[in-house]
Each structure stands twice: as C-alpha cells, then as structure tokens.
Amino acid sequence: MNAAREPIMDDGIKTLLRGVSASPDAISNESAWIEVIQRMDEIYADIVRYQVQLEEKNAGLEDAQRFIQSVISSMSDVLVVADTGGSIQQVNRALESLTGRTTAELVGQPLAALFSAEYAPKVEDFAEHIRTAAISDCEVELLDANRRATPIAINCTPRFDHHGRLSGLVITGRPLGELQRAYDDLRDAHHQLKTTQQQLVQSEKMASLGQLVAGVAHELNNPISFVFGNMHALKRYEQRLHSYLTAIHDGLPEDEREQLRKKLKIDRLLADIAPLIDGSLEGADRVGQIVEDLRRFSTPANQQQCQGFDLCRVINTAAEWVIKARRVRPVLDIRIPATLTITGYEGYVHQILVNLLQNAADALEDVSQPLIRIRAGIQHEQAWVTVQDNGPGIPSPQLLRIFDPFFTTKGVGKGTGLGLYISYNLATEQCRGSLKADSDEGGALFTLTLPRELAP
Ligand SMILES: Nc1ncnc2c1ncn2[C@@H]1O[C@H](COP(=O)(O)OP(=O)(O)OP(=O)(O)O)[C@@H](O)[C@H]1O
Ligand SMILES: [Mg+2]
C-alpha cells in the first residue's frame, strides 16, 4: 500500500458541502458531517500508518526467517526438531541428503523412524529424558538413503515456547564416519611414531653396545681367568690325589704312605679344594650376572619390565663397562650407598647412565687428569644420580640444544647426536623422572632423578 495516498475528501469538497446547506438545521447537519469526515480522515490516516508499520515488520520477519533458513540449510551437522510427542516438525538439508528423504516426507513422522531398529527405543525415550537433562555426545545409528545404519554422535536439547513451556526437542548430530576416519588415521600415525621411536631407542642402544663390547669383555675376563686358574689348580690336585689313592690301594706300608702324604702335600691340598670350588662358583656367578646385565640392556623397549632393582649395582656396572672399554681410562670417583633399591625400568636406567658416562669419557679424551665423579642418593621419595666430569664443559648456547635429536659436536662417525635425546625421553617419559644438564669451567654435570616407586 502507498503511504502517500491522500485522505478520501479534500478541503475543496468540504467547502462545497458547507456552501450547499444554509438553514440552521442544515448548518448543524453540515458541521456534524464535517466532524464525521474529519474523524474518518484521521482514522484512515491511522490505518495507513499502521499498515505501513505492519508491512515493514513483515519484511523484517521475512528477512529474519530467510536468514535462519539459510543458516540451517548450510549447517553440515544434521538437525531435527520434534514436538513433545516425538513427531518430526522440521529437518535441515544435511539430514535430507543423509537420509535421502525430503522435509515434506519426514514432517509428522515419528522421530524413531529415522534411526536403526537397535536405537529406535532409545530415541523414543529422548522426549521424556530431556525433561530432566540434555543429552550430549550420544552415539546412535541413523538410517541413510540406502537404509544402512550410519553411526552418528548426537546432542539433544529441550525446546521451549515463548511462555517458557517445554514444546519439543532439538537434535543436532555429526556422522561418526568422518570423525572415526580422522581418529583412525591419528591412531595409525601415533602407532607408527611409537614404533619408529622404539626402533630408534633400540638401534642407539645397539650402537652403544658396540662401544661397550671391550668393557664387557674386560669385565668377563676377570672371573673367567679366575675360574680357569682354579680349574688348573684342581686338575693338578686331582693328579696328586690319584697317585696317593693308587698307592693306598696297592697296599703301601704305613710309614711309606705317610712319607708320600707329606711329599704330595695331601693335607694342604684337601684344605684348598673347598675355597677353590667356592672361588670358581663365584666367578661363574659373576659371568652369569654380566650376561644377565647384557641381556637386560639389550632387551627391546616393549619387553622392558618395571620391577625392583638395585640402582647402585646398575651404576657400578655401567661405569665398569664404559670405562674399561676406553683406551684412556678416566679415574672413577664413585661415592654412592652400598645398595639403593628402587622400582622402575632397570634396562632404561642402565642405558641412560651408559650414555652419560660415554659422553663424559668422550669429553675427557684430551684432559690431562681425567676424572668422573658419580654420586647417588634418595631425597623426597626421589632417587638421584649425578655424573660430573672435569672436561671442557658445554658452552651456554649448546646447553640449550644438547637434548635435541641429532645435535652433536662430534666428528662424522663418532656421534649421532641421539644419546642425550633418547636418554631424556627415557628419563622423563618411560621412567617419569628428569634429566638436567649444567656446566661451568669445572666441566659438565648431569643430574638424573627417578621416582623411588614407579607404578607400572
Ligand atoms: N659431558 C659432556 N661434556 C661436554 N659436552 C657434552 C657432554 N655430554 C654431552 N655433550 C655435548 O652434547 C652433544 C650431544 O650429546 P649426545 O649424547 O646426544 O650425542 P653424541 O654423544 O654427540 O652422539 P651419540 O649419539 O653417539 O651419543 C655432544 O655432541 C656434546 O657436544
Ligand atoms: Mg652421546
């Protein structure tokens, strides 16, 4: 309607009407008419104004509706609105394309008809359920265009009318296929990363094992030569005993037998046998222990076991292996308790200590009086071990990078730059402790802390 339209009667007509009636009655009639016409004009003007306002509001409402509709149809998540009885009132385009059914086909249908038979009863309960609480991240199965069950994660919230009364429910959901795929990809990538990391730890360990072989061989050499020496002595004793017993069996007279007994030193021989056997057993035991340490050290990461072990024994073994493998052997100043039992991954702790000691020994290659200090103890339920050397130390800019993978200052073929990176990860992630580095003119100091009781 046009707001500028003129009132029904203009001033000219009114003047005309006034001119037509001249009698007093006619004059009063005329003024009544004029009043009526004026009222009509006013009312008409009001109607026109209201109509204009109404049309403006209608246009605003239509805009708002178009806006809401465009938002709903561009939603990639599915949307279903249902009344309190569970009948569908509205759906969006995402749901139409997923189910292959139009809004017209779906409106008025029961909500449960959208879902697979397994989930329909659950969905039927929604209308009742949302009276007490909204439903979030509920996994159900929607029937797609081919009536196949499609997993979907939905949220369901109550809808209220303008009086604040419950008038239905609103369901929004996202097909899980996409999420599941993304999740599966992520899990595969994580698995691959873990495997690669384990391989890295293992190959680094094997590389340092190569450097340790000389030290281990040296360690084995002691008890084995001990056992050898004892065996040779026992063999000689066996020959003397054999001669003595043969003489007795041949009926040698008693005084000659006594002379032979003294000559073959049978009494000393008999007293020696037990310590020789004990010593040999001890040597064999030590060999067994070294083999066991080697086995533990080379055990792949996924077979490492969290159990009680003596930290001090691990420190001593690592130090022996590393230092004895060296051409130039630094002096070891080890001041640690006799034993220190903690629960954790012995193999990992061994690997960390070997790395720290190898680095210290490397740093001491050109130092005139090379010294490595090792200390250990317990504080606040944490075991700590420090490895300090009197080498050149680590310059401050490098101190920030030494735990980075592949950071090395050693020549090609001498260092891969993985030792501290792997040690740091083993210390913090697997052993749930810490590894810190400090340095000054006096050399480098590494501090390893480990929980006293690591829960597997
Ligand atoms: N005790 C130390 N004194 C001086 N520098 C050190 C010491 N320990 C580590 N570094 C520095 O940190 C770097 C990284 O050490 P890391 O153990 O990670 O690798 P690497 O010893 O070079 O090689 P590898 O992989 O064979 O261990 C070393 O190259 C060295 O520069
Ligand atoms: Mg190293």
Side-chain angles (χ1 to χ4, degrees), residues 210-343:
Q211 294 180 36
L212 290 175
V213 164
V216 177
H218 193 280
E219 274 291 275
L220 283 172
N221 198 33
N222 254 354
I224 288 177
S225 38
F226 199 56
V227 172
F228 259 119
N230 289 359
M231 286 302 152
H232 281 299
L234 282 170
K235 194 170 164 71
R236 282 196 307 276
Y237 288 180
E238 185 268 339
Q239 283 160 0
R240 276 150 61 187
L241 271 175
H242 189 261
S243 327
Y244 182 61
L245 287 174
T246 314
I248 292 173
H249 291 153
D250 289 349
L252 197 71
E254 196 162 339
D255 53 336
E256 282 180 40
R257 196 198 308 166
E258 270 313 298
Q259 272 176 14
L260 187 63
R261 182 185 170 117
K262 281 196 184 113
K263 191 180 148 208
L264 292 175
K265 297 183 188 140
I266 296 297
D267 294 326
R268 228 183 73 194
L269 174 156
L270 285 175
D272 259 7
I273 286 180
L276 278 179
I277 291 176
D278 285 349
S280 305
L281 281 176
E282 214 179 286
D285 200 43
R286 180 78 197 113
V287 171
Q289 265 179 28
I290 294 170
V291 170
E292 179 60 18
D293 284 339
L294 263 179
R295 196 190 55 76
R296 233 193 317 267
F297 183 77
S298 55
T299 303
N302 54 2
Q303 289 164 26
Q304 294 279 348
Q305 279 181 9
C306 181
Q307 56 196 20
F309 67 95
D310 180 9
L311 178 61
C312 295
R313 205 181 70 81
V314 176
I315 294 173
N316 284 321
T317 315
E320 294 291 319
W321 288 9
V322 172
I323 301 310
K324 295 218 170 116
R326 293 276 156 171
R327 192 178 39 83
V328 182
R329 290 186 195 163
V331 173
L332 277 178
D333 170 16
I334 305 182
R335 279 184 229 171
I336 58 176
T339 58
L340 217 164
T341 305
I342 64 168
T343 303

Side-chain angles (χ1 to χ4, degrees), residues 53-70:
Q53 283 174 2
L54 210 63
E55 280 182 6
E56 277 170 4
K57 281 186 182 159
N58 257 344
L61 270 176
E62 275 170 19
D63 277 353
Q65 179 136 16
R66 268 196 297 276
F67 176 73
I68 292 171
Q69 205 55 46
S70 73

Side-chain angles (χ1 to χ4, degrees), residues 398-442:
Q398 287 179 14
L399 206 52
L400 300 171
R401 299 179 54 204
I402 53 166
F403 294 114
D404 291 351
F406 305 111
F407 175 77
T408 180
T409 54
K410 294 170 192 170
V412 181
K414 279 198 121 189
T416 58
L418 285 174
L420 286 180
Y421 165 70
I422 287 174
S423 299
Y424 183 84
N425 281 295
L426 290 179
T428 54
E429 281 170 30
Q430 266 77 11
C431 301
R432 272 168 262 149
S434 67
L435 182 61
K436 291 196 181 75
D438 279 305
S439 181
D440 56 26
E441 294 85 65

Side-chain angles (χ1 to χ4, degrees), residues 136-161:
S136 64
D137 262 341
C138 174
E139 285 183 26
V140 290
E141 283 175 356
L142 206 74
L143 293 173
D144 70 6
N146 299 316
R147 311 289 294 163
R148 273 194 317 249
T150 309
I152 181 167
I154 58 165
N155 293 327
C156 179
T157 43
R159 189 169 71 84
F160 300 99
D161 65 13

Side-chain angles (χ1 to χ4, degrees), residues 355 359 362 410 419-420:
N355 277 329
N359 281 346
D362 285 347
K410 294 170 192 170
L420 286 180

